[in-house]
Amino acid sequence: MLADPTEQAVAYCNVRSHVTTYPTQVEQGLLWIWPDHNAQAFTDCQQKQPATLPEPGSKWHKADWHMIEVPIGYTVSIENSFDPVHAQFLHEGISGFSPANAIPMQGFKLVDELSAEDGFVLSHKGYNTFNREMEATRTFRPPCANITQYNLPMAGVQTFQLYFVPTAPGYCRYIMKFVMDLDFPARPFSLMPWMNKKMLELLPEYVQIGLQHLGLYKLNDQDITAMYAQEQNEAVLDTGRRRTPFLPSPADQGTLTFKSWLNRFGNGGPEPNSLYAEGVESRSNEQLYDRWHRHTKLCPHCCRSIEWIAKTQRVCHRLTTVTVILGGIMLLLPLSVRLSLGCFAIAILSLLGHQGLTKLHSHFMSSIPRQGMPNLQLWPHGGT
């Protein structure tokens, strides 16, 4: 809006009109940023590759990245990914997890030495009756990557690739990809699952993906509940030291190894009073179990699903109104009673559909139920 060329030149030269730029690269479908904007930054960044991990197999490119941002710090988040046995107790009822199926983990050990640049690799055996024969590896690549591979005899390979990126004090963004290169025996035909699958296929693809994402929240809520309690229990004491957790089991080797690496090469964890500081302040249920900020707003599939819900609700509302009016007119004239009752039946169904969509919309916003107590059940059989 400056017509005078001289004024334009002055404005362009002012440092406040300049955008700060950082070197970036796109690797494995992720945007990597070199957090330096000095004159040598673009040269410096070419001397070091992003901290990616090897692509595990042919199906890797077919899987999508999944992203959530949780009110939990960096340290506890990564520790959780090195503690697989918690799933048998914390996630009972999901994917066959149950304390009744748990077995003591064997062979959880460090493969090579700890390294500042390369991190470390751990190996271990199974920890439940379904994977007791598996060979597993867990690789930590500084500063934030963890890739886990389960080699299952007679079944195939499961790969879990995770990045943990601190975004604000007490918050961490998880960027995840799960690749299932498995060959399980075909299940016997079952009518109800087949019908449910066919009905889901009638929905837009982005809604199908959004519904799949909703299915992950129960497990994620349980993890957040446990990790939040852990952060509170290990809060910094008046002496400036964190409480030391009790880790007596061989299954704790993953957590112990990460703590050792962090103390040796990472100054014990993120710096206090920094962007990456660990948060220990109290959080409400609304903050812990919020879904909009955790995932929905970050996911194009879930955002489009919400738009689809709103459009479908408008259709239901109009259909309810029109069919009630038509049904009433048919009763008053009077016309066919059957047609009138049919209109009222359609109105009731569309009204119920509108209410169901309202409930579905709430699932994309929060894990706190619209009715009943907002309690999350953990360890239902009294495990510790």
Side-chain angles (χ1 to χ4, degrees):
M1 300 299 291
L2 294 174
D4 188 335
T6 302
E7 292 179 348
Q8 289 184 11
V10 172
Y12 294 161
C13 292
N14 191 303
V15 67
R16 289 186 293 175
S17 71
H18 297 175
V19 175
T20 302
T21 59
Y22 297 87
T24 64
Q25 293 184 38
V26 175
E27 293 284 347
Q28 295 186 343
L30 299 176
L31 177 65
W32 298 80
I33 301 172
W34 184 264
D36 185 3
H37 57 85
N38 64 40
Q40 295 296 319
F42 284 85
T43 301
D44 293 342
C45 80
Q46 299 300 322
Q47 300 176 11
K48 186 174 178 64
Q49 289 296 311
T52 56
L53 292 165
E55 298 177 8
S58 59
K59 293 186 178 181
W60 191 90
H61 291 284
K62 298 179 181 179
D64 292 328
W65 289 104
H66 183 77
M67 184 164 65
I68 60 174
E69 187 168 297
V70 300
I72 305 295
Y74 161 89
T75 302
V76 172
S77 295
I78 295 188
E79 287 180 3
N80 182 67
S81 71
F82 282 104
D83 175 38
V85 297
H86 79 268
Q88 298 301 125
F89 305 91
L90 186 60
H91 305 314
E92 181 176 15
I94 300 176
S95 299
F97 292 131
S98 170
N101 297 326
I103 61 174
M105 178 185 284
Q106 302 294 329
F108 207 171
K109 61 185 179 181
L110 182 66
V111 174
D112 292 309
E113 298 295 322
L114 300 179
S115 167
E117 290 290 325
D118 298 325
F120 57 83
V121 178
L122 295 163
S123 65
H124 64 80
K125 303 288 187 179
Y127 49 87
N128 63 43
T129 55
F130 303 108
N131 64 20
R132 67 168 71 238
E133 301 300 328
M134 78 173 181
E135 299 286 341
T137 59
R138 296 176 183 269
T139 302
F140 174 67
R141 175 77 183 276
C144 60
N146 174 13
I147 184 169
T148 297
Q149 287 192 299
Y150 288 173
N151 292 283
L152 302 165
M154 308 301 293
V157 180
Q158 285 181 308
T159 303
F160 308 89
Q161 188 161 349
L162 304 100
Y163 293 95
F164 301 91
V165 184
T167 55
Y171 283 83
C172 190
R173 181 170 293 181
Y174 302 174
I175 304 171
M176 305 168 285
K177 180 177 284 197
F178 306 133
V179 182
M180 307 300 180
D181 192 4
L182 302 176
D183 186 22
F184 288 121
R187 295 181 179 179
F189 175 79
S190 180
L191 180 60
M192 289 305 297
W194 179 84
M195 291 179 62
N196 290 335
K197 180 181 178 182
K198 291 301 179 182
M199 290 179 65
L200 285 174
E201 290 175 353
L202 297 175
L203 299 174
E205 184 178 4
Y206 57 85
V207 176
Q208 296 179 44
I209 296 174
L211 294 176
Q212 291 173 9
H213 291 179
L214 288 182
L216 299 174
Y217 276 114
K218 181 179 180 181
L219 183 146
N220 193 223
D221 289 340
Q222 292 170 337
D223 276 331
I224 286 176
T225 302
M227 290 188 291
Y228 172 69
Q230 180 182 341
E231 282 192 321
Q232 296 293 309
N233 291 337
E234 296 182 12
V236 178
L237 302 171
D238 294 336
T239 59
R241 296 183 294 105
R242 296 179 68 89
R243 292 184 177 93
T244 302
F246 182 52
L247 302 170
S249 167
D252 298 320
Q253 183 61 45
T255 301
L256 289 169
T257 301
F258 175 68
K259 286 181 178 293
S260 296
W261 184 92
L262 200 60
N263 289 329
R264 183 174 174 183
F265 302 110
N267 198 30
E271 290 290 337
N273 303 317
S274 71
L275 174 64
Y276 313 111
E278 309 282 34
V280 294
E281 67 271 15
S282 297
R283 303 196 191 279
S284 66
N285 282 342
E286 288 76 13
Q287 291 173 307
L288 283 177
Y289 305 123
D290 167 87
R291 292 182 176 181
W292 169 253
H293 295 291
R294 191 198 312 180
H295 171 73
T296 301
K297 73 176 185 181
L298 307 172
C299 176
H301 303 294
C302 291
C303 285
R304 291 186 68 189
S305 295
I306 290 177
E307 294 175 352
W308 178 85
I309 289 172
K311 292 177 181 178
T312 309
Q313 282 183 309
R314 287 194 291 269
V315 172
C316 290
H317 183 268
R318 292 168 184 167
L319 184 60
T320 300
T321 303
V322 169
T323 50
V324 166
I325 293 173
L326 287 175
I329 291 173
M330 290 177 182
L331 283 178
L332 292 174
L333 286 181
L335 296 175
S336 172
V337 175
R338 288 185 177 181
L339 288 177
S340 178
L341 292 176
C343 287
F344 287 133
I346 294 173
I348 292 172
L349 290 175
S350 61
L351 181 61
L352 292 174
H354 188 282
Q355 292 178 340
L357 290 169
T358 299
K359 184 177 181 180
L360 182 61
H361 178 273
S362 71
H363 288 329
F364 282 100
M365 297 298 162
S366 175
S367 295
I368 297 178
R370 292 168 58 86
Q371 297 177 340
M373 297 293 289
N375 296 330
L376 188 68
Q377 188 177 35
L378 301 177
W379 294 287
H381 291 293
T384 58

